[in-house]
Amino acid sequence: MEGMSNGGMLYHEVQEAKLCAVHCVNTVLQGPFFSEFDLAALASDLDTIERQVMQGTVSAAASGDFLSAESHNVSLDGDFSIQVFDLWRWLDAFIEHVWLEVGDGEMVLQKALEVWDLQVIASDSPVAEHAQIDPDLENAFICHLHDHWFCIRKVNGEWYNFDSLYAAPQHLSKFYLAAYLDSLKNSGWSIFLVRGNFPKEFPIASSEASNGYGQWLSPEDAERITKSCNNTQSPQRISSTQQEDQDLNAAIAASLM
């Protein structure tokens, strides 16, 4: 195994407002590389491209919603969209307007990770076939449902759930990883793979001035915090061990069927 990254420490961000997309990107990269202002700037750039493309492909009346000043990629409260744009064309001018999607779209998160030469791939894509069989071959997954994003990441050979609704990253065994991903899919979550050359190190000493949401934890501290939260029986998601056990049993039953 290669040397441990970041001295064996885990980088985790706890939920702030609706900035889970920011937390997700940073835990994928394992460091406070992006702020909400960075992602907002990306969203703004993509809005501009969106409007330019729509002006050249559809009528003014049909594209009115896309050409409005309101961003489709980030809301006023900081929630970033799943996709940055869907492009549509006017197919039949003689009969009626028929809209066809001409691109898969790209996520704001994907544009952020592309800065680090990382690819975001849908788990049901043909190129992700091996990950469906053995997810342990991958290094990171992004999970999305409704307005929430979180990352499942392999760090120093071990898997952790870096959901920002948790007080600390939660360790996942290789067996539980596959069952947990299946459970998420069955519950309607969208799963994406992240592939490429992940950053090896982040200067931890300078992290305090980065965004204020993150913390560096040793695996032992993360486990201690998780156990403490579970023992207090907090109603928050950080104490959902029983629910995860039920999800695991359901996933195992489904796989047997």
Side-chain angles (χ1 to χ4, degrees), residues 54 57-59 62-63 88-91 97-101:
M54 294 306 299
T57 56
V58 301
S59 65
S63 63
W88 301 83
R89 281 180 179 169
W90 186 24
L91 178 65
H97 287 162
V98 180
W99 301 98
L100 293 177
E101 186 175 7

Side-chain angles (χ1 to χ4, degrees), residues 3-14:
M4 292 188 297
S5 62
N6 293 324
M9 302 292 280
L10 307 173
Y11 180 75
H12 183 62
E13 293 190 0
V14 178

Side-chain angles (χ1 to χ4, degrees), residues 21-36:
V22 179
H23 307 321
C24 180
V25 168
N26 284 335
T27 49
V28 167
L29 297 172
Q30 279 299 283
F33 289 87
F34 287 91
S35 70
E36 61 270 35

Side-chain angles (χ1 to χ4, degrees), residues 182 186 247-257:
D182 285 341
N186 293 335
D247 292 342
L248 175 59
N249 292 333
I252 294 174
S255 64
L256 292 176
M257 292 177 63

Side-chain angles (χ1 to χ4, degrees), residues 141-242:
F141 295 91
I142 288 177
C143 308
H144 174 262
L145 181 65
H146 301 312
D147 294 333
H148 191 59
W149 299 89
F150 72 91
C151 155
I152 299 174
R153 175 80 149 85
K154 183 191 287 184
V155 181
N156 300 321
E158 298 292 331
W159 284 97
Y160 294 89
N161 184 346
F162 287 95
D163 193 330
S164 56
L165 296 181
Y166 294 148
Q170 294 193 348
H171 180 264
L172 302 176
S173 68
K174 294 180 180 179
F175 171 74
Y176 183 75
L177 171 68
Y180 185 51
L181 289 173
D182 285 341
S183 176
L184 290 174
K185 291 178 183 177
N186 293 335
S187 299
W189 286 77
S190 298
I191 310 295
F192 303 89
L193 287 63
V194 183
R195 289 177 175 172
N197 298 316
F198 293 81
K200 295 297 183 182
E201 298 288 339
F202 185 90
I204 297 178
S206 65
S207 65
E208 294 181 359
S210 297
N211 62 23
Y213 311 132
Q215 57 182 335
W216 294 94
L217 298 169
S218 68
E220 294 77 18
D221 285 340
E223 182 179 7
R224 176 181 53 79
I225 293 173
T226 298
K227 287 183 177 179
S228 176
C229 291
N230 289 336
N231 289 337
T232 59
Q233 294 299 311
S234 169
Q236 298 180 1
R237 192 172 181 177
I238 53 179
S239 61
S240 59
T241 302
Q242 183 177 3

